[in-house]
Amino acid sequence: MIADYETLSWPKFRDLDRDRTFLILPVSSTEQNGPHLPVGTDDYILQMFVSGLKDQEYEPDTNLLFMPRLSYGRSMEHMDFPGTVSLRPETLIAQIDDIVGCAAEHGFRHVILLNSHGGNTGILFGVAQAWQKKHGIHVYGIDLSTLWPGIEAIPELSHIPVPREIHAGEIETSLMLYRYPELVDMTKACTAMFELPGWQTGWSTSDFTSDGVMGDAKAATPEKGKLLYDFMTEKAAAVLRELMASNTGRPARA
Ligand SMILES: [Zn+2]
C-alpha cells in the first residue's frame, strides 16, 4: 500500500505489518528564494517529489506511508530577507524527536526523513543516530540535493555547475517553472555565481547576495525542470526501493 498517512484510521494502523511498513516524514522550509520565487519554494518542490514518489513501483507487500509535511525548518541564513521563518535547531529536533517517538511507541521500525532544504541537512542527519538510539527505531534520510549529481550526463543539464547551484538558482527555478509556473516571475530572476568555501560555516545569504539568489536563475526553463524532475524522481525511487528491499523484515534497533 502506498498512501497518505493521515488518510488511515487507527485500526488500519494497528493491523499494519511493522516489518514491512516504512513511514516517510517530508521536511522542508519557509524562506526567501530570491525576488522571483515564493517563500514556499522548498515546500512546493518537496510536494512535487512526494507526489512523484507515490506513483512509483516498490517492493510488493510493503507499505509506504507519507506523513503530513513539516513545512518549517532551520533557515537562519535567510533571516535578513522578509517572509523567512526559521525554527531554532532545538525546535526542529524536538518536533522530529516527538514524531519518531510516537512511531516507535506504536511499534513502527522504519522512518525515512525526506528533506528538501539544505539548512536542515546537518541537523537531521546529525541527530538521526541519537533518535535511533533513543527510540530503538531505524531513521533514514534522503536529501533532495543529493539527487543532483548525475545530471551532467543529460546534455541539456550538463552545463549546470552543481556546487554553485546553492539556492534559488537554475535547478530550483526550473523545477518551479515546470510544476508551478504561475508562482514564478522570471522578469525578476537574477544570477549570482560563486562557490562557498568548504570551511564556510554559519554564513548568511546576505553576506554574498543582496537579492537572495545563489545560482543562475535566469537560465531556468520548464523544459529543464521536467528533465530534472524525471531524473531526480527516478533516482529517489531507486534509493527507496533499495532501502526497503534491504530493510524489510529487519527488526527494530533496540
Ligand atoms: Zn532552502
Side-chain angles (χ1 to χ4, degrees):
M1 169 179 53
I2 300 169
D4 286 324
Y5 182 97
E6 63 270 29
T7 62
L8 272 62
S9 63
W10 73 260
K12 286 188 177 153
F13 279 105
R14 179 193 57 199
D15 298 340
L16 288 170
D17 179 346
R18 270 44 179 170
D19 286 337
R20 306 187 71 79
T21 298
F22 294 79
L23 307 181
I24 293 200
L25 176 60
V27 188
S28 64
S29 64
T30 300
E31 64 187 26
Q32 77 82 17
N33 270 267
H36 65 301
L37 290 174
V39 295
T41 292
D42 287 16
D43 199 51
Y44 285 115
I45 288 174
L46 186 64
Q47 290 179 57
M48 195 186 301
F49 286 100
V50 164
S51 76
L53 287 172
K54 282 184 200 157
D55 293 336
Q56 301 284 315
E57 297 283 323
Y58 301 98
E59 282 261 290
D61 305 321
T62 50
N63 304 306
L64 193 56
L65 300 178
F66 290 84
M67 302 183 86
R69 300 187 314 281
L70 291 181
S71 302
Y72 297 109
R74 186 260 177 214
S75 300
M76 211 178 292
E77 68 273 27
H78 299 300
M79 277 306 291
D80 287 335
F81 299 86
T84 300
V85 178
S86 183
L87 300 182
R88 282 167 287 156
E90 55 267 38
T91 311
L92 181 61
I93 290 169
Q95 287 189 83
I96 298 175
D97 189 13
D98 285 353
I99 293 166
V100 170
C102 291
E105 193 172 325
H106 294 134
F108 292 103
R109 292 164 186 173
H110 308 286
V111 175
I112 303 160
L113 306 173
L114 180 67
N115 174 47
S116 67
H117 168 54
N120 295 338
T121 309
I123 296 172
L124 300 188
F125 296 178
V127 185
Q129 201 167 42
W131 289 321
Q132 291 199 145
K133 210 165 179 176
K134 179 176 174 186
H135 299 296
I137 189 171
H138 298 284
V139 180
Y140 317 98
I142 300 176
D143 200 291
L144 290 190
S145 66
T146 64
L147 306 173
W148 294 355
I151 59 171
E152 59 277 4
I154 301 170
E156 296 89 335
L157 305 176
S158 61
H159 64 282
I160 298 179
V162 169
R164 293 194 282 167
E165 271 291 306
I166 301 164
H167 181 74
E170 187 171 355
I171 292 176
E172 291 181 308
T173 305
S174 292
L175 287 168
M176 288 295 287
L177 279 172
Y178 169 52
R179 193 55 70 85
Y180 305 100
E182 70 283 4
L183 297 177
V184 185
D185 181 355
M186 283 303 282
T187 66
K188 296 194 168 68
C190 43
T191 295
M193 299 303 285
F194 50 86
E195 197 167 333
L196 288 174
W199 45 263
Q200 184 70 260
T201 60
W203 50 270
S204 286
T205 308
S206 57
D207 295 340
F208 305 100
T209 159
S210 58
D211 51 44
V213 171
M214 303 160 96
D216 190 4
K218 278 185 178 170
T221 67
E223 293 76 21
K224 290 175 193 170
K226 179 175 175 11
L227 289 168
L228 282 159
Y229 173 77
D230 290 345
F231 175 83
M232 290 170 66
T233 304
E234 186 46 53
K235 199 168 168 185
V239 171
L240 271 181
R241 278 192 284 268
E242 184 190 338
L243 189 161
M244 292 166 81
S246 61
N247 286 288
T248 304
R250 200 169 152 206
R253 292 183 57 87

